[in-house]
Amino acid sequence: KGYPPRRCRLYSETSAPERRLWESAEGVKALLQWLEGVPVGFLYLIQFAALFVEGTGLPGILVEPFFLATSLLISQYKASFVVAWLLAALGNFLGNLVGYAIGRRWLDPFLQRIGPRLGLTPERLETVQDWFRRYGPWAVFIGRWFGPIRTPALLLAGAARIPLGAFAIASALAALTWTGVYQAAFWLLGQATVDLLRRQTGGLFLVLLLLVALAGLLWWRSHRLRPAPSPGLPQEGERGILQVAEDLFRREDGPRTRRRRLRWFSILLLALALSSIPSLAYMAWQFQLNSRVPVPSAPFPEVDASWRLLVLAPHPDDEVLGAGGLMQKVLGAGGSVHVVVVTAGDSFARAAFYLAGKVPGRQGYLALGARRIQESLEAVQYLGLTPQQITFLGFPDKGLEPIWLHYWDPAKAYRNPFTGYDRVPYDIPAKGTPYNGPALAKALEAVLLEYRPTAIVAPYPLDEHPDHRATYDFLLWTLADLGWDHIPIYTYVVHHGEWPSRWQADPDNPLGPPRELARIGPWVSLPLTLSEGERKLHAIRLYTSQMRVMGSWLQAFARANEIFSPMMPVDASGPAETRSFTLLGQWAWPKNRLAKALLPVLPPSLKTRVDWSAMLEEVSTGAEDQGWLIRLRTRGRPDPNREYRLRWWVFPKDLPPQGYQVIIHRNQVSVREVTPSTRPWPKDLPVQARWTPSGLALFIPEKALQSPRLLIAVDIGRPGGIEDRSAWVLILDRR
């Protein structure tokens, strides 16, 4: 809950290892926050210096942490990939020149002095130097990619006095390529690697053990090939490292050469296995942290025969993942359940690939959508529903948020880039419905009017998946248009990092909310019986197209409980508090009694891709006699070059819903209409906006709204993009 661990009641009930895990998690969070505050120029300089020192051939220099640090800032748009890459390559190239000079000036005398003690005879030194004179540039280029041979390849190239021009070209090409690959890998492939480790931690541990076993087997075989000692040959202890290199690169084959190759290969395998231990241990530690989030103490409301539950699912399978147990409870108590699946889930490339057995085309994605609709129908029937109790709308997967933000013109429709259709193509009652906002809102409204639920289950408004967020937004819009502000809404989380941990079915143990979201809003828990949990698990396994690509994660939702976060409209006429804010400039925040409402935003620890100037810490709004007040507080000083957007819908009694978007960019404030039927904003009632040291403040005149309901949200980003956002909130004004 944000307090020091020793103030938590649960802290005294945990073991010492668990306490250390909690305390180390706070340390990691503090380290990441410190890194986000480091000036990008200083980090460029540190990486340049580290790559320079490593380039000189000094052994034991780890450069991976510096690539990781700059990649983190690149992902936050605070650093440039090209600048970080070129500076790293330049530092490494200059270090290579210094290492070449060191090898050319001092390595040969040094080896001649200590060589006899290591078995390095002048003949052997001459053999290795001849080889480097022939293949030196290639050895330098390859050596830059592999840590164990970087230093000897660099220094021996200088000692062999290969031409400086050839060395410089090989070194420059190597520096450009390997630093670029490392930087790109940490930036672009880092999240994919983390996802792989999260999904396959157990399998990777098994691979690690196999690598160690294989390394041991190769080492044993190398000893079996050991030749008998001959009086005229130097013994094993008399052979130096250059003789090892001579044996490795010698063209002829023999027992001694094969033995040394096996030995070096086993060493490389063992190094690979040992290097993977820290990442696997980190992922196991993360799983432990997420599996120890306390279960919410507040219970879910009692279910009885009067319940008419509406379950809203963005994709086929979300209805069972989020509320498979609750549906069983309601049906068991004599109540009724109706499920609405908004999309066909037809844009999931991995599932379409496995279903088609090849790279899917448009027909492959259409086949996936039809398959997922059938799987959802089978799963809810297994839980006790009839085909008449589920409605498929068939909208495009990955297209709900673009429709919510941009497609409110009935004459225009969103075209699904995966299937190529701009309307529902499936053989369902909604076939032919255009992909736009008015059509989806009308379909939801028809279901609500026909079924008239007493409770609604919907996706969490801050879910990581945009389809989940947009499904919740369309639900709020429809309820506001109908004037139904009395129906309780219980939201469920599906997509949030590595949650739920662990990724396996566990019907005996309960589940807590994501640890970063545990302190945001109230959470309630619905206990399930063992039979209900096992029935939910079997229903999840009926989604065969999804089980093939992420089965372990899906089964992790089969627990001894289900968790929900209740969402209710904000009453702006409720308790008020006196507020007075003086802004920069001549305009001041009105000094009247203000009913303050907070819009939900994600905590800063979850915003790894957001610059501080675009990182929302708090969004507050309130009703006042003259209008509506909105205040945005960002973590850093606001950046006028970004767009700060306020989006809202009003629902007048005598007009269709009116949608507006206010964009504050630099010193300009523009108001845009969202739908063709929205009346132009009156010029005599402008929206006022002023920058503050920690954000932005806006004032909307009440006369321009004339609506008892206000659906509102804010977001920040570069022109055309969104970096951070708040959830949409329905605010009621009953004054």
Side-chain angles (χ1 to χ4, degrees), residues 624-658:
E624 195 266 344
D625 292 339
Q626 303 175 15
W628 284 91
L629 312 170
I630 299 96
R631 183 182 178 92
L632 284 66
R633 183 159 60 87
T634 55
R635 188 167 189 180
R637 191 174 183 87
D639 181 9
N641 293 319
R642 279 183 166 82
E643 288 186 352
Y644 294 74
R645 310 178 192 98
L646 169 66
R647 306 176 190 266
W648 78 85
W649 286 88
V650 292
F651 302 87
K653 296 180 180 180
D654 55 344
L655 291 173
Q658 309 284 293

Side-chain angles (χ1 to χ4, degrees), residues 474-490:
F474 273 107
L475 173 65
L476 283 189
W477 191 99
T478 308
L479 293 176
D481 190 31
L482 293 174
W484 293 5
D485 50 55
H486 60 284
I487 302 178
I489 303 174
Y490 301 95

Side-chain angles (χ1 to χ4, degrees), residues 313-383:
H315 312 102
D317 70 14
D318 290 324
E319 68 279 5
V320 176
L321 297 179
L326 177 58
M327 288 191 287
Q328 297 180 67
K329 291 281 189 184
V330 175
L331 293 175
S336 63
V337 177
H338 194 89
V339 175
V340 177
V341 182
V342 181
T343 77
D346 50 11
S347 302
F348 191 3
R350 279 193 298 154
F353 175 82
Y354 279 106
L355 184 63
K358 59 182 180 180
V359 177
R362 292 183 175 180
Q363 293 301 318
Y365 287 108
L366 288 172
L368 174 64
R371 172 72 173 270
R372 296 193 67 178
I373 290 175
Q374 183 61 32
E375 291 172 352
S376 186
L377 181 60
E378 294 174 358
V380 297
Q381 284 183 292
Y382 176 79
L383 292 179

Side-chain angles (χ1 to χ4, degrees), residues 51 54-55 63-64 67 85 89 92 96 137-154 169-185 268 272:
L51 269 295
E54 192 275 342
V63 296
E64 287 80 4
F67 284 113
W85 168 34
N92 197 247
N96 289 169
W138 287 106
V140 171
F141 182 85
I142 297 174
R144 289 286 81 198
W145 287 82
F146 301 99
I149 61 174
R150 283 179 184 175
T151 298
L154 177 65
I169 293 175
S171 179
L173 291 176
L176 279 173
T177 53
W178 84 266
T179 56
V181 169
Y182 270 52
Q183 193 76 71
L268 290 176
L272 177 63

Side-chain angles (χ1 to χ4, degrees), residues 195-421:
D195 291 342
L196 175 64
L197 292 173
R198 287 168 176 165
R199 295 172 184 268
Q200 306 293 342
T201 301
L204 290 174
F205 268 114
L206 180 61
V207 172
L208 184 149
L209 294 177
L210 291 177
L211 288 175
V212 173
L214 181 59
L217 177 62
L218 293 176
W219 187 273
W220 175 73
R221 289 198 61 186
S222 70
H223 277 273
R224 288 190 62 188
L225 293 173
R226 181 191 299 272
S230 300
L233 294 177
Q235 302 301 313
E236 184 71 21
E238 300 177 7
R239 300 172 60 82
I241 57 174
L242 293 184
Q243 183 61 31
V244 174
E246 181 182 346
D247 288 343
L248 287 174
F249 293 111
R250 185 182 295 168
R251 291 182 180 273
E252 63 268 15
D253 200 1
R256 178 179 288 111
T257 304
R258 291 198 301 271
R259 178 169 58 87
R260 290 194 173 275
R261 287 174 180 171
L262 287 174
R263 180 175 297 180
W264 279 100
F265 189 59
S266 65
I267 291 175
L268 290 176
L269 287 178
L270 186 60
L272 177 63
L274 294 178
S275 64
S276 63
I277 290 178
S279 59
L280 293 173
Y282 173 78
M283 295 313 306
W285 170 60
Q286 287 293 314
F287 275 127
Q288 291 294 326
L289 286 180
N290 281 278
S291 61
R292 281 170 166 74
V293 179
V295 178
S297 58
F300 192 84
E302 190 69 25
V303 176
D304 54 35
S306 65
W307 273 57
R308 297 180 60 84
L309 178 67
L310 178 68
V311 179
L312 197 59
H315 312 102
D317 70 14
D318 290 324
E319 68 279 5
V320 176
L321 297 179
L326 177 58
M327 288 191 287
Q328 297 180 67
K329 291 281 189 184
V330 175
L331 293 175
S336 63
V337 177
H338 194 89
V339 175
V340 177
V341 182
V342 181
T343 77
D346 50 11
S347 302
F348 191 3
R350 279 193 298 154
F353 175 82
Y354 279 106
L355 184 63
K358 59 182 180 180
V359 177
R362 292 183 175 180
Q363 293 301 318
Y365 287 108
L366 288 172
L368 174 64
R371 172 72 173 270
R372 296 193 67 178
I373 290 175
Q374 183 61 32
E375 291 172 352
S376 186
L377 181 60
E378 294 174 358
V380 297
Q381 284 183 292
Y382 176 79
L383 292 179
L385 279 72
T386 64
Q388 291 73 30
Q389 292 176 287
I390 182 169
T391 300
F392 296 101
L393 301 183
F395 270 67
D397 183 13
K398 299 181 182 178
L400 294 187
E401 189 164 74
I403 293 174
W404 169 255
L405 294 176
H406 308 295
Y407 287 87
W408 284 95
D409 187 347
K412 298 181 180 179
Y414 171 83
R415 183 172 295 277
N416 188 348
F418 296 90
T419 65
Y421 280 86

Side-chain angles (χ1 to χ4, degrees), residues 401 404-405 461-462 469 472-473 476 589 597-602 607 610 613-622 628-635 642-649 660-664 687-689 691 694-700 710-718 721-731:
E401 189 164 74
W404 169 255
L405 294 176
L462 292 174
R469 298 192 299 263
Y472 176 81
D473 300 338
L476 283 189
W589 194 278
L598 295 178
L599 277 64
V601 296
L602 287 176
K607 301 171 183 176
V610 181
S613 62
M615 184 180 293
L616 287 171
E617 283 199 324
E618 182 182 278
V619 180
S620 58
T621 182
W628 284 91
L629 312 170
I630 299 96
R631 183 182 178 92
L632 284 66
R633 183 159 60 87
T634 55
R635 188 167 189 180
R642 279 183 166 82
E643 288 186 352
Y644 294 74
R645 310 178 192 98
L646 169 66
R647 306 176 190 266
W648 78 85
W649 286 88
Y660 298 95
Q661 179 183 209
V662 176
I663 301 177
I664 300 93
V687 176
Q688 304 180 54
W691 299 107
S694 60
L696 183 67
L698 300 98
F699 176 74
I700 306 176
L710 177 65
L711 190 62
I712 188 171
V714 300
D715 58 72
I716 305 175
R718 302 286 183 184
I722 297 177
E723 296 180 52
D724 197 10
R725 73 187 78 211
S726 74
W728 283 80
V729 171
L730 179 59
I731 301 176

